Amino acid sequence: MAKLEILEFPDPRLREPGKTIEQVDDKLRALIDDMFETMYAADGCGLAATQVNIQKRLFIMDFSSDQEEPLVFINPEITPLTEEPSEFGEGCLSVPGFYENLNRPNRIKVKALNRDGEEFEAEFEGLPAVCIQHENDHLDGRLFVDYLSKFKRDRIRKKLEKNQRLAAGR
Ligand code: GNR
Ligand code: NI
């Protein structure tokens, strides 16, 4: 297992769309294991392959308190089940330190493949539903800051760029 580097906004690689996964094999499962190690180490409840510079349609989640409910979504397809907006704010490991409520649908249905390549369908509500929509956006190169005003997005970008310069010693 290996911990992977998480790309941060405004890294252009976060804008690349993921490709449909043709084969769920041991190599993909090794990547999934690395993604879980990375997500748990970063204290996140979701992680998309895009965030670790892999352009594939895959994300993982775990909403349990003790890393006991790992969920894998390969080639996910999402259908909103309500227009009622969620009340949950969201953050992103690629936009560290910023949180916003985006009014996403509070209930969704997802069809995807699991880590054995088997198709499943499930409904989610509340925070997990928000998280799934957030992760699915990553697979299309979208970030939650794209839903904010340009003013807010630019302010976040400048703060993160400054932090990134400081971290790199530039
Ligand atoms: O860890 C995460 N928490 C979270 C909380 C509310 C809505 C979405 C998320 S996703 C985020 C991890 C992440 O960046 N996934 O892409
Ligand atoms: Ni994110």
Side-chain angles (χ1 to χ4, degrees):
M1 296 247 287
K3 218 176 74 173
L4 308 169
E5 183 198 348
I6 298 177
L7 304 178
E8 287 187 11
F9 176 68
D11 193 311
R13 291 172 290 180
L14 287 167
R15 299 309 189 177
E16 288 176 27
K19 295 186 194 70
T20 301
I21 292 174
E22 306 288 349
Q23 210 166 201
V24 181
D25 52 17
D26 286 347
K27 195 171 160 226
L28 190 76
R29 281 184 280 274
L31 167 65
I32 290 168
D33 290 344
D34 287 346
M35 285 175 62
F36 273 110
E37 185 179 344
T38 305
M39 180 182 79
Y40 289 138
D43 257 328
C45 40
L47 185 71
T50 323
Q51 292 176 277
V52 292
N53 199 23
I54 304 281
Q55 285 73 44
K56 293 185 197 292
R57 303 195 75 80
L58 154 70
F59 64 79
I60 60 170
M61 293 196 330
D62 191 337
F63 273 92
S64 70
S65 48
D66 207 21
Q67 312 187 354
E68 58 213 352
E69 280 168 42
L71 297 173
V72 175
F73 300 80
I74 296 167
N75 301 337
E77 290 173 37
I78 295 175
T79 312
L81 295 179
T82 179
E83 286 180 29
E84 181 203 338
S86 148
E87 61 195 46
F88 292 93
E90 61 193 88
C92 181
L93 294 172
S94 297
V95 190
F98 296 90
Y99 302 88
E100 295 284 344
N101 187 333
L102 303 188
N103 293 332
R104 298 189 194 264
N106 194 47
R107 273 194 339 116
I108 57 163
K109 185 171 76 178
V110 190
K111 193 165 92 175
L113 304 181
N114 66 17
R115 66 175 284 137
D116 296 315
E118 300 157 348
E119 189 173 291
F120 68 95
E121 216 176 274
E123 292 183 14
F124 293 86
E125 187 172 358
L127 189 56
V130 171
C131 189
I132 287 172
Q133 294 172 80
H134 172 111
E135 303 310 339
N136 195 60
D137 272 356
H138 276 302
L139 305 187
D140 292 327
R142 257 189 322 273
L143 298 170
F144 84 88
V145 296
D146 301 348
Y147 297 92
L148 309 177
S149 68
K150 178 168 164 34
F151 177 78
K152 270 192 177 177
R153 187 167 51 253
D154 282 349
R155 195 169 52 97
I156 293 172
R157 177 176 54 75
K158 282 174 190 149
K159 286 188 182 171
L160 287 178
E161 281 175 339
K162 184 177 167 197
N163 289 346
Q164 290 159 19
R165 274 196 307 275
L166 289 171
R170 275 181 277 125

